[in-house]
Amino acid sequence: MEKFKKWLEPTKNKVIAGFVTVAVIAAGGFGIWSLEQTKPIEPVIVFKENIVFEYGENLDQEQIIETIIDTEKSDYTKISGIINLDTANVTIKLDDHGSEDLSDKHKTPIKADKDGTEKEFEFAYDVKDTQSPVIEGAEDIETPFGSELKFEEFITGTDPVDGKTKLVVEGELDTSKAGQYEMKAVATDNNGNKTEKVFVVTVLEEEKEVEEPTTPTPETPSNTGGGTSSTNKPSTNGGGSSTKPSENPKPIEPSKPEEPSKPAEPSYLCPNGKDKNKPCDAYVDPVNGYLTYKTYSNMDLCKTDGKKVYDSLKKENIDGKDVVRYSCTEVGLNDTSKGSFYALRLIHNGDTGQWYLNPNKKWVQ
């Protein structure tokens, strides 16, 4: 007890030691705080869920960023570098039974900067082909009896990304028997999407040659008078009467058979158009016209006005879905010689794939 009391007695050395200890602790705390203040702040990127791009889609960097990054949860100054997408290879395709066959997702790096501090991130995404081929020329037709039809000469299948597709015509056709035959054209693109179109081929009745009956030449009646004569004209020979030999009748030429009548060709609004039954100046969207929100005369106008339309709708909840991005795609006029249009599409990425907003503000797939 005496030792403890003695230790409690203040001394000069103990006071100095106490001050030194406090100073060391304070300096250490200040140093740690200073280091925390000078430590660079790294960027934060939060990616959206279920990122899906359309097969063959071509987007600019701003559209890609709006599609993949949740800006409300992210913290960065800018995205540095070019974001490279691979939309030429799908990761979601249909198998032989029509079910989705999933392969590995695409992965792409992205660099973000926060006040001079750069960090690299990686995001995963799927590519899905929702655009079916377009069949042209599979219309109801008539063909002469016994003719040979080559469907590949007037029926085609076209994919908006890959161009000409595989096309087969199913059904039994026998042009040696008159009647109507139901056929089906089937176009299949590289990713298994199919389009089918039914049409009817009418084989006309056989044209048979009809021989006209021969009309006999009527005889000339005989004349009765001072002398007798036959049907031939009389001639004078020394004052007597005599008969002139009859002339040989001309042979009757056989009648020419009538040429078989050709089937009447149907009249079209635009014979040289992609869709002959539409006007030549109508635009034909090879990627399903009902997916288009609006059309423009050139790409720059589509992008400029499309950005305004997108900005005005992206915060609007339409039937429970929001517009997450937009794209501009070239579509041709029915008569390709008359030019092209550019289609604006407003897109929502859902769990079941991409949705498109039509002009009536209804979501379609």
Side-chain angles (χ1 to χ4, degrees):
M1 190 67 180
E2 291 296 331
K3 290 182 179 180
F4 179 72
K5 288 181 179 180
K6 185 176 181 180
W7 183 87
L8 288 177
E9 292 177 358
T11 63
K12 182 178 180 181
N13 291 336
K14 288 183 180 180
V15 171
I16 294 173
F19 277 114
V20 171
T21 302
V22 172
V24 170
I25 294 174
F30 179 77
I32 295 173
W33 178 83
S34 298
L35 290 174
E36 290 293 329
Q37 296 301 312
T38 58
K39 184 179 179 181
I41 301 176
E42 293 184 344
V44 177
I45 297 293
V46 178
F47 296 105
K48 294 181 180 180
E49 297 180 357
N50 300 321
I51 300 174
V52 180
F53 291 100
E54 179 63 29
Y55 173 64
E57 192 171 27
N58 186 16
L59 301 177
D60 58 33
Q61 294 296 294
E62 183 178 354
Q63 291 173 319
I64 296 174
I65 292 171
E66 291 175 349
T67 302
I68 66 175
I69 296 178
D70 188 336
T71 54
E72 294 183 358
K73 298 178 181 179
S74 301
D75 183 19
Y76 63 94
T77 306
K78 66 178 181 179
I79 299 298
S80 55
I82 301 298
I83 306 172
N84 295 313
L85 293 181
D86 178 12
T87 60
N89 297 289
V90 298
T91 60
I92 304 176
K93 62 178 65 176
L94 298 178
D95 58 20
D96 295 336
H97 304 287
S99 302
E100 288 189 346
D101 179 18
L102 303 179
S103 59
D104 292 337
K105 291 178 178 286
H106 292 306
K107 294 182 180 180
T108 299
I110 178 176
K111 291 183 179 181
D113 181 274
K114 174 66 176 178
D115 299 330
T117 302
E118 191 176 68
K119 185 177 180 180
E120 185 174 291
F121 301 85
E122 186 180 64
F123 71 97
Y125 62 95
D126 281 310
V127 176
K128 187 174 184 179
D129 187 357
T130 63
Q131 305 175 74
S132 299
V134 175
I135 296 177
E136 297 176 351
E139 308 294 341
D140 295 348
I141 59 171
E142 293 180 347
T143 187
F145 184 90
S147 61
E148 182 181 358
L149 277 181
K150 295 181 179 180
F151 295 113
E152 67 273 11
E153 293 182 352
F154 58 92
I155 301 178
T156 59
T158 306
D159 181 81
V161 178
D162 298 322
K164 190 174 182 180
T165 65
K166 176 184 177 183
L167 185 133
V168 296
V169 176
E170 301 175 352
E172 296 184 0
L173 174 64
D174 184 359
T175 60
S176 66
K177 295 180 181 179
Q180 290 187 325
Y181 298 84
E182 185 174 275
M183 312 297 289
K184 180 168 66 175
V186 182
T188 307
D189 66 16
N190 294 341
N191 297 316
N193 294 321
K194 288 185 178 181
T195 298
E196 299 179 352
K197 190 172 183 180
V198 175
F199 62 101
V200 175
V201 177
T202 301
V203 179
L204 301 175
E205 294 287 344
E206 182 179 10
E207 295 283 347
K208 296 183 179 180
E209 296 182 1
V210 178
E211 294 184 1
E212 296 183 359
T214 303
T215 304
T217 304
E219 294 184 358
T220 304
S222 61
N223 295 326
T224 304
T228 60
S229 68
S230 66
T231 57
N232 301 309
K233 293 182 180 180
S235 63
T236 304
N237 186 8
S241 63
S242 65
T243 59
K244 185 179 181 180
S246 61
E247 296 178 357
N248 294 327
K250 294 181 179 180
I252 299 174
E253 295 182 359
S255 59
K256 295 181 179 179
E258 294 184 359
E259 294 183 359
S261 60
K262 295 181 180 179
E265 294 186 1
S267 58
Y268 298 108
L269 288 175
C270 187
N272 296 324
K274 292 182 178 179
D275 188 337
K276 298 180 179 181
N277 296 312
K278 289 185 179 180
C280 290
D281 58 353
Y283 78 89
V284 179
D285 187 345
V287 196
N288 301 325
Y290 63 88
L291 303 180
T292 297
Y293 185 78
K294 197 174 179 181
T295 58
Y296 301 87
S297 59
N298 61 71
M299 179 63 81
D300 291 338
L301 185 60
C302 180
K303 288 184 177 181
T304 302
D305 189 63
K307 181 66 167 59
K308 294 179 182 179
V309 174
Y310 167 74
D311 289 339
S312 66
L313 295 177
K314 66 180 181 180
K315 294 183 180 180
E316 183 177 342
N317 187 289
I318 303 173
D319 293 338
K321 298 179 178 65
D322 56 340
V323 179
V324 298
R325 60 190 175 93
Y326 71 97
S327 67
C328 289
T329 304
E330 182 178 3
V331 296
L333 287 173
N334 193 21
D335 185 346
T336 55
S337 65
K338 295 185 177 295
S340 301
F341 277 121
Y342 296 85
L344 170 66
R345 294 192 175 88
L346 302 176
I347 304 167
H348 169 80
N349 290 332
D351 295 336
T352 58
Q354 294 190 108
W355 291 78
Y356 298 84
L357 193 66
N358 68 15
N360 298 322
K361 284 194 174 183
K362 298 295 183 181
W363 292 106
V364 294
Q365 279 188 307

